[in-house]
Amino acid sequence: MTPFDAWRFLAEAQSVMLRRSLALMAEPESAGPALARMVAEKQRAFVDGAIAASFAAARGADPAAIAAAAIRPARSRVRRNLRSKGLS
């Protein structure tokens, strides 16, 4: 991951967080279920990344490839959230 890729990922994640925060403030009565979905989404991305990194390490990949495999699910989810219209 280049420094630009890292910056882009952080900027995209912050954009998603800002949009979700504003939506939650606009409709606080729906915050509970929305926050639960967000937590589950992050847990799933973490587990998927850990599994992918484990497989990459077992195949003997170099450290950069292992790190890329670990972060790929989170980056993918952030990009999907950035393109989506809703909170999920």
Side-chain angles (χ1 to χ4, degrees):
M1 176 182 286
T2 67
F4 177 76
D5 290 335
W7 175 86
R8 182 177 176 182
F9 175 53
L10 292 173
E12 290 170 344
Q14 288 297 317
S15 296
V16 170
M17 291 173 60
L18 175 63
R19 196 176 75 212
R20 284 184 166 184
S21 295
L22 293 173
L24 290 172
M25 286 189 287
E27 296 181 36
E29 63 279 351
S30 67
L35 291 171
R37 281 192 309 274
M38 289 180 223
V39 168
E41 170 185 276
K42 282 150 190 62
Q43 289 172 338
R44 178 62 189 238
F46 177 80
V47 169
D48 289 347
I51 291 169
S54 298
F55 279 119
R59 284 192 310 268
D62 63 283
I66 294 170
I71 202 165
R72 193 171 297 118
R75 290 185 75 194
S76 173
R77 191 64 205 173
V78 165
R79 286 195 175 144
R80 275 195 302 263
N81 286 338
L82 197 58
R83 289 189 302 262
S84 74
K85 301 283 191 248
L87 288 176
S88 54

